[in-house]
Amino acid sequence: EMVSLTAVEQELDLLYPDAKQGVLAVADEKKGEKLILITSAEKATIADIQQYLRSRGLSDLWFPKEVVYIKNPPLLGSGKFDYQSAEKLYISSVDKM
């Protein structure tokens, strides 16, 4: 099923209102795709996100499978989240593992 990344981000912006963040959909060997939250919210956890999204009546499909903390996530000149740069950062960090 398709999940709107924008809708997931809007929900997570309510949970972490002061954070700069974005949600990426990246390849996953098991499920085809998984959601990754890139965020400046230092204390963001999968458990907190799952509990919050469940309390909002949302399905597990909305749950990011990973949270990546970046103090200063990549932003465009407009101040919006830079998805392409964030995906490159994520992929390069996974390749180093």
Side-chain angles (χ1 to χ4, degrees):
E1 289 184 45
M2 295 294 293
V3 174
S4 165
L5 298 180
T6 302
V8 175
E9 287 175 1
Q10 289 171 343
E11 288 294 329
L12 295 175
D13 285 344
L14 296 172
L15 180 60
Y16 303 114
D18 297 326
K20 297 288 185 192
Q21 57 194 5
V23 175
L24 305 174
V26 299
D28 180 59
E29 292 178 11
K30 295 177 185 173
K31 302 239 178 189
E33 212 172 50
K34 64 182 175 181
L35 301 184
I36 307 295
L37 172 64
I38 307 291
T39 183
S40 65
E42 194 171 0
K43 297 184 184 210
T45 66
I46 292 292
D48 288 345
I49 291 167
Q50 288 176 346
Q51 180 180 10
Y52 175 75
L53 294 176
R54 278 192 186 112
S55 77
R56 305 275 292 167
L58 300 170
S59 82
D60 292 3
L61 294 174
W62 287 60
F63 299 179
K65 301 302 180 225
E66 291 180 49
V67 174
V68 178
Y69 166 74
I70 299 177
K71 185 176 183 175
N72 295 305
L75 303 176
L76 299 170
S78 64
K80 293 184 178 184
F81 190 80
D82 183 346
Y83 295 92
Q84 288 182 332
S85 294
E87 187 168 2
K88 287 177 187 174
L89 281 171
Y90 175 76
I91 290 170
S92 70
S93 73
V94 169
D95 286 345
K96 291 178 184 175
M97 292 180 175

